[in-house]
Amino acid sequence: MIPAAEITGHSIGLCRKPPAMHVLQTGIGFRPESVFAGFPGGAGGGSGAIRRGIGAAISGIRTLNRNRQLLWFALLAGLVLAGNTIGQAAFHYITTNLYIHLDRIVWQFSIEFATLFCLVFLLAGLVLGIPSKKESPASFLEGLACAKKYLNAVFLWSLVLAIAGMLLVTVFSYVPARFPTPEILFLYHNGFGRLDSFLFDSLSQFPFNLSRLPPMDIFTEIPGYGGRSVLLWFYPGLREALIFSAINLLLLVMTLFVVPLIVLQQKTLGEAVTGSFALMRKTWAEVTACTIFLGVVVLGISLPFLLLQAAPGTVIPLRVYYHPTDMWIALGLLYDLALAGVIFVAATIGGIAALELYRSAKAGQVPESPGMDPAG
């Protein structure tokens, strides 16, 4: 049974006091003194940093497994990206189909700011919803209720991130066209341009794109809709949303500890930014290892799309004009939904792991991965 006091606290949204800093134990059976202690002059490097970064990710998986309510973060973050996609698609529809001129930069900045505000607010709720003691239950919804106290800081930080994101998009998109020097073109084709090409090629193939399957009117001809389907506007919007998502992910990883410093230690925005960079100098190797580990896991889970292309005969859908059966189309849709779910669950695990790295760095310890000897 749940104590009445706890039920009352959850029902009226009472906020716990900022918890004292305790090192999160991974429950693997290591002696406390054997765990990496301190960061004298910077983070430990080599295999130790990789082990600690992977350990934070695995500990995040275990925390999520014990507290399924944290999956609300994944669901709400997915809805935020869906809203971003709809907003980007609306721009293409209004300017292309309705011939209404809109300022692209103003439109995209508005969407970018709204997206980042929602994501930072959700991240603040995730940070506040996870107690420092693992035996205590986590409550994401209670964390969101507590995060309302920091709306001003969330607003300002989201504005800074949105401006930074738009500057990066502007530099990567317009500078190569205005100043096509060999050096700039080289950076473009091996950076932002490569990401754009990858997304365009991926979203042009089955099972990610159903509007290009022959016959070409499949999913694109709807009676009473002027012969046009919303899918024709959805994919350009999704491509834009994914580009901005990649930039937002980069910005959030580079400033990983700003939100915890604001909501857990009540730092001002300036203090949180400088404090985050100071902690990143100590834990950059662990953060990198954790990010790569989660990315490799998601990439491995996404590989079945090759089977979905090869089995119905659509390995090169723009050249092989073969219509998959309804069963393969249904499987493709299910795969798209499952992959999206995996991505947002991985994002949730990343947020939990970032909080563990923050608390451990503040206490001078970083969680180890299971099955490995900390002594190397």
Side-chain angles (χ1 to χ4, degrees):
M1 295 182 62
I2 302 175
E6 182 176 344
I7 296 176
T8 305
H10 280 268
S11 62
I12 63 177
L14 294 178
C15 300
R16 295 184 297 267
K17 294 181 179 179
M21 290 298 166
H22 298 285
V23 181
L24 291 181
Q25 301 298 324
T26 57
I28 308 165
F30 291 135
R31 298 187 307 272
E33 63 271 15
S34 68
V35 182
F36 179 82
F39 300 91
S47 61
I50 296 175
R51 182 172 59 247
R52 292 187 292 272
I54 295 176
I58 294 176
S59 183
I61 295 173
R62 293 180 172 180
T63 299
L64 181 61
N65 185 51
R66 289 193 304 268
N67 301 275
R68 305 291 178 83
Q69 190 189 115
L70 297 179
L71 289 173
W72 278 105
F73 176 87
L75 175 62
L76 295 177
L79 293 177
V80 171
L81 181 60
N84 189 312
T85 302
I86 293 173
Q88 301 287 359
F91 176 84
H92 288 277
Y93 176 79
I94 293 173
T95 57
T96 305
N97 199 49
L98 301 182
Y99 305 104
I100 298 176
H101 175 72
L102 296 174
D103 189 291
R104 185 185 187 91
I105 294 180
V106 173
W107 184 280
Q108 288 187 334
F109 176 79
S110 301
I111 297 175
E112 173 75 343
F113 172 71
T115 299
L116 282 168
F117 178 82
C118 293
L119 291 178
V120 173
F121 181 71
L122 292 177
L123 184 58
L126 183 67
V127 170
L128 289 170
I130 301 177
S132 59
K133 295 182 179 180
K134 283 202 169 189
E135 58 271 15
S136 302
S139 176
F140 175 69
L141 298 180
E142 183 181 349
L144 281 183
C146 295
K148 294 178 181 179
K149 297 187 300 183
Y150 305 96
L151 282 177
N152 290 337
V154 169
F155 179 89
L156 290 176
W157 181 231
S158 303
L159 183 62
V160 171
L161 290 176
I163 294 174
M166 286 304 301
L167 287 176
L168 288 176
V169 170
T170 302
V171 169
F172 291 146
S173 300
Y174 298 103
V175 170
R178 297 291 182 90
F179 307 98
T181 63
E183 295 79 11
I184 292 180
L185 290 178
F186 174 81
L187 293 175
Y188 174 79
H189 290 302
N190 290 277
F192 186 80
R194 189 177 295 275
L195 172 63
D196 189 46
S197 299
F198 170 76
L199 292 176
F200 178 80
D201 293 339
S202 298
L203 295 178
S204 298
Q205 301 179 27
F206 177 80
F208 304 112
N209 195 334
L210 301 178
S211 67
R212 290 184 176 271
L213 295 178
M216 293 303 291
D217 61 351
I218 183 175
F219 294 122
T220 61
E221 298 291 334
I222 298 181
Y225 194 70
R228 299 280 184 169
S229 166
V230 291
L231 278 178
L232 293 178
W233 317 111
F234 173 81
Y235 288 109
L238 179 60
R239 180 184 171 194
E240 295 281 351
L242 291 178
I243 290 175
F244 276 97
S245 297
I247 293 176
N248 293 340
L249 178 62
L250 175 64
L251 292 173
L252 290 173
V253 170
M254 291 176 61
T255 58
L256 194 61
F257 304 123
V258 171
V259 172
L261 284 168
I262 290 175
V263 301
L264 294 181
Q265 293 194 325
Q266 288 74 48
K267 298 291 186 180
T268 65
L269 182 58
E271 293 171 342
V273 172
T274 56
S276 176
F277 283 124
L279 289 176
M280 282 293 290
R281 284 197 298 268
K282 298 179 180 180
T283 60
W284 66 269
E286 287 80 4
V287 171
T288 302
C290 180
T291 304
I292 293 176
F293 174 78
L294 292 175
V296 169
V297 171
V298 172
L299 180 61
I301 295 176
S302 69
L303 289 180
F305 88 91
L306 296 173
L307 176 62
L308 288 173
Q309 289 184 347
T314 57
V315 177
I316 311 177
L318 298 182
R319 298 179 184 176
V320 181
Y321 290 92
Y322 176 79
H323 188 326
T325 63
D326 292 342
M327 181 192 73
W328 285 107
I329 293 175
L331 287 175
L333 288 172
L334 290 175
Y335 169 82
D336 293 341
L337 293 175
L339 181 60
V342 168
I343 291 173
F344 289 112
V345 168
T348 306
I349 295 171
I352 299 171
L355 178 59
E356 295 204 6
L357 286 174
Y358 164 78
R359 284 173 170 163
S360 301
K362 295 293 290 184
Q365 296 176 322
V366 176
E368 294 281 355
S369 60
M372 296 183 181
D373 184 8

